[in-house]
């Protein structure tokens, strides 16, 4: 029976971590460089086809600002799934994600499937590719290479685009808290479909 199973899903996380961008990537396969902040919440739907079932996600994309916090329970109260998003370049956004997870575990449906998602990984993969290109330019002068690499790292700090949340730290936290864990880029699409597919797989057929 391929009648879609409706699944209410809520997105939570600090403002500007990329919640709306993840939804836009999943639903329309698009990205907007300067996405306007969400006011209150936005509602979208998208189907996800698995081998044995079709899931129709009813997605509530909430605003991250603190002044909207009191509205959040309306969106997560009957949710079967939650995507809690942080930004891998901003350590404080993981702390905020952890507080959302605690709130969900206390107040949401006890069977809710929670996915922790570290977004904006496209911003932190540039250092490695730049390092590789430096290596290629100066093949026979190892000492100079090392010096240029040091300077590269300083540049990254200046631009504030270095990774602040190691993958292992977030994934260990997710594991001990019983969450699914992903790293994504709404910008280039990396890992986005997987978040929703893995959630869909964990939703029981009633
Ligand atoms: P929200 O407040 O959590 O819904 O965040 P938005 O989706 O509005 O995104 C906030 C800003 O981050 C926007 O300028 C987006 O274009 C940008 N953004 C979102 N996701 C990504 C990503 O994966 N990579 C990069 N580089 N920027 C992103
Ligand atoms: Mg938003």
């Amino acid at each position: 029976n391929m009648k879609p199973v409706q699944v209410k899903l809520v997105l939570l996380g600090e403002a500007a971590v990329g919640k709306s961008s993840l939804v836009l990537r999943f639903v329309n396969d698009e990205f907007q460089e300067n996405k306007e902040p969400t006011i209150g919440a936005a509602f979208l739907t998208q189907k996800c086809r698995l081998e044995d079932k079709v899931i129709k996600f009813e997605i509530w994309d909430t605003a991250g600002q603190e002044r909207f916090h009191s509205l959040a329970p309306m969106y997560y109260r009957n949710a079967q799934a939650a995507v809690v998003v942080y930004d891998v370049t901003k350590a404080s956004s993981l702390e905020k994600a952890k507080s959302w997870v605690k709130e969900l575990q206390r107040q949401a449906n006890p069977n809710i499937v929670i996915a922790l998602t570290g977004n904006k990984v496209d911003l932190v993969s540039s250092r490695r590719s730049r390092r590789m290109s430096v290596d290629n330019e100066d093949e026979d002068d190892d000492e100079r290479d090392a010096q240029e690499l040091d300077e590269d790292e300083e540049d990254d700090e200046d631009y504030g685009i270095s990774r602040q949340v190691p993958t292992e730290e977030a994934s260990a936290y997710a594991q001990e808290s019983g969450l699914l864990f992903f790293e994504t880029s709404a910008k280039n699409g990396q890992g986005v479909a997987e978040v929703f597919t893995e959630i869909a797989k964990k939703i029981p057929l009633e």
Side-chain angles (χ1 to χ4, degrees), residues 16 18-21 35-38 61-64:
K19 299 178 294 299
S20 300
S21 299
K35 187 106 188 60
E36 70 288 357
T38 310
D61 170 24
T62 67

Side-chain angles (χ1 to χ4, degrees), residues 16-21 31-33 119-120 122 185-187:
V17 294
K19 299 178 294 299
S20 300
S21 299
F31 179 74
Q32 293 171 4
E33 202 64 58
N119 190 40
K120 307 199 187 182
D122 59 281
S185 166
K187 184 165 182 172

Side-chain angles (χ1 to χ4, degrees), residues 64-80:
Q65 293 91 335
E66 212 40 59
R67 67 195 154 102
F68 294 117
H69 192 122
S70 60
L71 299 179
M74 276 196 330
Y75 301 106
Y76 66 64
R77 196 181 302 129
N78 299 311
Q80 290 129 287

